[in-house]
Amino acid sequence: MHITLRQLRVFESVSKHLSYTKAAEELHLSQPAVSMQVRQLEDVVGLPLFEKMGKKVTLTEAGRTFRSYSQNVQNELSQAKEMMQALKGLNQGQLNIAVASTVNYYAPRLLAEFHKKYPAIQLHLDVTNRESLLKKLRENDVDIVLMGQPPNDMDLKSQAIKENPLVIIAPPEHPLTGKKKLKLKDLKNETFVMREQGSGTRIAMESLFEQHGLMYKEGMQMTRNEAIKQAVRAGIGLSVVSTHTIQLELETGRLCILDVHPFPVIRHWHMVYRSGKRLSPSANAFVNFVQEYTTSTGNT
Ligand code: PGA
């Protein structure tokens, strides 16, 4: 089979986005050029790799099987590139890090320190929610992930790097603000502004409220901590957030933490990567750096 690397790159991009247009954008190609590469690859392989129903693109069974081989080739190539760079020292290299949106209130500090130590390593940071982090780990599409609770159903190496206390926030004028020793049942029928499905914070909040049998009203749903804070500030409802996200609002008195048992609920953020993964020299340097950094600064 005479398959070119260019065809593999195009195939990979179309299967990732399930869109010829997005693949064309990502690869800086025209859409007909993308379609042509896919067609040529399908000719070589002798089977259709994608199915198009209207505007929807899906992988065929052959496409799904081919993808696992194609990903292996891409991974081997990028590892070969990293290893060659290792032979030249850590004077170059690239590190792909993905962090949960809440972790992004902490990650830039960490990355800034890492960058001071290894200025030549190019950092790519992707900020997304728990669900897409899991997808990235599953598809081996990232070097290191910083997230909340690692999943149990994947073979991963993980290490707690930072405490993540969750609290209930309210605006200063809310009737419960300032009250001492509230119980969760005192929040019965309160409206809660919710993070989106797939957010680690939301999962933690829902399971805790369910354990305590709290009946609450689900208010607006928002994908950004910043939007949640504005909504709570505007009196739309209460919410559960990480204390790392509200430092400024606490200092200026725009938001308050309610004194509700069992909050603060202490969770942890973790550094995570696939167990079998051969870490690139840059990723290895990052893992060692984070271990030293969290030991010297403490993870609280
Ligand atoms: P998230 O946070 O709510 O932004 O997904 C991750 C987590 O703390 O689990």
Side-chain angles (χ1 to χ4, degrees), residues 100-102 129-130 148-149 164 195 198-202 267 269:
S101 35
T102 306
N129 74 12
R130 178 182 175 85
Q149 191 56 33
N164 172 29
R195 278 286 304 277
S199 139
T201 310
R202 177 179 175 137
R267 300 177 72 231
W269 287 328

Side-chain angles (χ1 to χ4, degrees), residues 34-278:
V34 168
S35 307
M36 191 182 73
Q37 294 287 336
V38 170
R39 238 187 350 265
Q40 284 173 349
L41 180 61
E42 288 178 328
D43 284 347
V44 179
V45 171
L47 287 165
L49 300 171
F50 294 103
E51 245 160 6
K52 236 177 149 181
M53 303 237 271
K55 286 204 159 160
K56 203 163 174 267
V57 177
T58 50
L59 279 163
T60 59
E61 195 190 336
R64 282 196 297 278
T65 309
F66 187 77
R67 188 168 187 211
S68 62
Y69 291 99
S70 142
Q71 278 176 329
N72 286 344
V73 173
Q74 309 266 3
N75 288 338
E76 288 293 321
L77 276 174
S78 78
Q79 275 173 12
K81 194 169 142 209
E82 280 285 348
M83 290 302 160
M84 293 305 106
Q85 280 163 351
L87 295 174
K88 298 179 198 159
L90 278 168
N91 291 327
Q92 40 189 315
Q94 185 179 315
L95 185 57
N96 292 316
I97 299 184
V99 306
S101 35
T102 306
V103 184
N104 199 38
Y105 284 79
Y106 164 69
R109 246 180 295 156
L110 195 66
L111 296 187
E113 290 300 318
F114 179 73
H115 180 67
K116 267 192 222 157
K117 193 163 176 192
Y118 299 102
I121 296 179
Q122 232 183 52
L123 292 170
H124 287 208
L125 176 68
D126 191 2
V127 182
T128 179
N129 74 12
R130 178 182 175 85
E131 209 163 87
S132 28
L133 291 175
L134 297 183
K135 183 161 180 272
K136 281 177 183 296
L137 279 170
R138 225 176 283 120
E139 296 184 350
N140 201 12
D141 197 18
V142 65
D143 293 314
I144 309 278
V145 163
L146 305 182
M147 66 185 303
Q149 191 56 33
N152 297 323
D153 60 350
M154 255 189 265
D155 203 4
L156 300 170
K157 288 228 162 88
S158 85
Q159 181 193 337
I161 56 165
K162 184 87 184 154
E163 256 189 19
N164 172 29
L166 295 187
V167 289
I168 301 187
I169 52 167
E173 56 279 6
H174 193 280
L176 294 176
T177 300
K179 292 241 162 91
K180 294 275 171 238
K181 299 203 165 132
L182 294 166
K183 301 215 164 50
L184 265 183
K185 65 173 170 26
D186 298 323
L187 271 51
K188 189 164 60 122
N189 295 331
E190 288 287 340
T191 300
F192 276 80
V193 181
M194 311 286 288
R195 278 286 304 277
E196 78 284 7
Q197 294 283 355
S199 139
T201 310
R202 177 179 175 137
I203 296 169
M205 166 186 151
E206 285 178 334
S207 88
L208 196 93
F209 285 1
E210 197 186 314
Q211 271 169 39
H212 287 78
L214 176 68
M215 304 295 278
Y216 60 99
K217 287 194 210 114
E218 266 193 43
M220 288 186 196
Q221 182 174 305
M222 303 181 178
T223 49
R224 298 254 180 276
N225 285 298
E226 290 304 313
I228 297 249
K229 292 190 288 184
Q230 297 293 341
V232 172
R233 176 86 191 93
I236 292 174
L238 307 176
S239 193
V240 172
V241 296
S242 159
T243 51
H244 292 284
T245 67
I246 48 168
Q247 291 313 312
L248 249 135
E249 287 76 8
L250 293 180
E251 278 164 30
T252 54
R254 283 161 177 247
L255 289 173
C256 302
I257 295 178
L258 293 187
D259 180 16
V260 189
H261 181 78
F263 286 88
V265 170
I266 308 295
R267 300 177 72 231
H268 284 88
W269 287 328
H270 296 79
M271 171 168 67
V272 178
Y273 54 91
R274 297 263 300 249
S275 281
K277 192 166 174 72
R278 218 182 318 147

